[in-house]
Amino acid sequence: MHGKPYNRAEVIEEGVSKIRGLNLFSDLFMITALRDKGASEYVLRKVLGNEDLEFTKVTTQWYLPNLTSKDSILDVFAEDVEGSLYNLEDQRSSTVDHARRTRYYGAMIDKNSLDKGKEYSELTDVYIVYISEKDVWHTGMTMSHVRKTLQGRDGTELPYDDGTHLIYVNGEVDDGSELAGMMKYFKTADPEDMSQGALSERVRYLKSKKGEPEMCEVSEWIYNQGKLAGEAEGEAKGEIKGEAKGEAKGEIKGEFKGRAKEIIDIYREIGLPDEGILEKLQAKLNVSLDKAMELLFGRQPA
């Protein structure tokens, strides 16, 4: 296979076409759609049953740095007029430890929202809404709340309210509710279906000619991820010197594979076939076809 030279504009245009074909269970498209305050309010109002919910700000891909442990990137993060905080996560994978992931995200939100010198009682309420395509907990319900209780000596359960509200929503179980109807819409993201208010308006906009500039912005971000991966690999190779050469090679190998995985994950998300991903790896990491196949399939070609 001989990869043709990549034209930046062509790659971005190709990305826009692929993104338009995604539904709202695609992390990439959901994040793009819910940048819009009206669309994110609509989704959370349906989940929480609160038609008065109003956000003062909405951030997507909110980065929570941590100097001594794992960083976090929240899909959608919002704050309402009362100061309560909301994190909405879209999850397709069934291999993630969902409970511990939400535990960690909640801890990171608390850590970043309570200023030094404040009392614990000033921690605001946090709502973590976890939307998945499958019923990951096999509850048989479209929506399930996690309830914390304190057990008494006589076996009674007393409410234990620490201000954290954890809600799981899935698109697999249809219980006939309005929320299940919204999950059906998540599966199609049909721009002609206007049944979901502000969310439908946002999806129609993004998938129309009017939304092309914003879709190009997202596609360009994907393009730049691959470009940065190639640049990082080149810089890392140039830093190998003297006695540190062996150690540096090991570090580069790990970082290189991490960058390659980012590229593979991004282009798989938008539905690019393996042949196309191989070409992307060759072009963006400046590697041979054999190396690209090793990165994609985890083995040397036969």
Side-chain angles (χ1 to χ4, degrees):
M1 183 196 306
H2 298 286
K4 64 178 181 179
Y6 276 83
N7 177 282
R8 178 175 174 277
E10 288 179 0
V11 173
I12 292 171
E13 185 177 347
E14 175 192 349
V16 169
S17 176
K18 295 288 185 182
I19 295 167
R20 281 196 177 124
L22 298 175
N23 65 26
L24 286 161
F25 282 113
S26 157
D27 189 56
L28 181 63
F29 188 63
M30 188 205 73
I31 288 168
T32 306
L34 297 191
R35 285 178 179 177
D36 178 74
K37 188 166 79 75
S40 59
E41 284 176 343
Y42 181 89
V43 171
L44 269 299
R45 284 171 179 173
K46 289 294 181 188
V47 171
L48 299 173
N50 178 8
E51 291 301 319
D52 296 323
L53 181 65
E54 184 179 346
F55 292 146
T56 56
K57 64 178 180 180
V58 176
T59 306
T60 57
Q61 292 287 277
W62 190 47
Y63 177 61
L64 297 175
N66 196 323
L67 293 176
T68 58
S69 57
K70 183 179 176 67
D71 296 340
S72 301
I73 300 177
L74 307 185
D75 285 349
V76 181
F77 181 74
E79 183 175 348
D80 71 13
V81 293
E82 303 295 330
S84 294
L85 303 176
Y86 300 80
N87 169 217
L88 191 151
E89 294 292 320
D90 188 13
Q91 182 62 49
R92 269 186 163 174
S93 173
S94 59
T95 60
V96 173
D97 190 329
H98 307 287
R100 283 173 172 77
R101 179 186 180 189
T102 52
R103 168 188 164 187
Y104 190 75
Y105 280 10
M108 289 292 286
I109 292 170
D110 284 344
K111 176 179 176 292
N112 282 268
S113 63
L114 187 65
D115 293 332
K116 190 176 291 188
K118 296 287 187 179
E119 298 294 330
Y120 293 124
S121 59
E122 296 179 80
L123 273 171
T124 188
D125 278 19
V126 174
Y127 295 80
I128 300 176
V129 177
Y130 202 90
I131 295 181
S132 59
E133 194 167 17
K134 300 295 183 181
D135 180 11
V136 296
W137 291 108
H138 309 291
T139 63
M141 299 189 294
T142 301
M143 179 170 66
S144 300
H145 291 256
V146 176
R147 306 289 190 195
K148 293 183 180 180
T149 59
L150 194 66
Q151 190 169 16
R153 186 168 57 182
D154 59 356
T156 59
E157 292 187 341
L158 306 173
Y160 182 87
D161 182 12
D162 62 2
T164 300
H165 310 271
L166 180 55
I167 303 164
Y168 287 91
V169 180
N170 74 83
E172 184 175 5
V173 178
D174 182 359
D175 60 8
S177 64
E178 286 189 8
L179 184 58
M182 185 174 75
M183 290 298 99
K184 282 185 179 179
Y185 179 78
F186 263 57
K187 293 178 183 178
T188 65
D190 180 359
E192 299 305 314
D193 179 353
M194 298 303 293
S195 66
Q196 300 299 317
L199 180 61
S200 290
E201 291 173 10
R202 174 66 171 165
V203 169
R204 172 177 278 188
Y205 167 78
L206 288 173
K207 294 193 174 187
S208 71
K209 196 73 176 174
K210 290 181 180 178
E212 195 165 282
E214 190 167 348
M215 297 292 266
C216 282
E217 180 186 325
V218 175
S219 183
E220 186 167 13
W221 176 82
I222 295 172
Y223 172 87
N224 286 334
Q225 294 307 298
K227 183 170 180 285
L228 288 171
E231 289 173 355
E233 170 64 7
E235 289 173 8
K237 283 181 176 177
E239 291 173 359
I240 300 176
K241 294 180 180 180
E243 295 179 359
K245 186 172 182 179
E247 182 182 345
K249 277 186 175 178
E251 291 175 356
I252 289 165
K253 186 176 181 181
E255 181 177 353
F256 181 60
K257 286 187 175 180
R259 296 295 187 183
K261 184 178 184 302
E262 286 181 8
I263 295 169
I264 292 166
D265 288 348
I266 287 167
Y267 284 104
R268 274 188 171 155
E269 178 74 16
I270 63 173
L272 196 64
D274 286 347
E275 183 175 349
I277 296 175
L278 287 171
E279 290 187 3
K280 302 289 188 189
L281 288 168
Q282 287 178 266
K284 297 181 183 303
L285 297 181
N286 193 27
V287 296
S288 66
L289 174 58
D290 285 356
K291 184 63 179 177
M293 291 180 72
E294 181 184 349
L295 291 166
L296 181 59
F297 302 117
R299 55 173 171 77
Q300 293 279 2

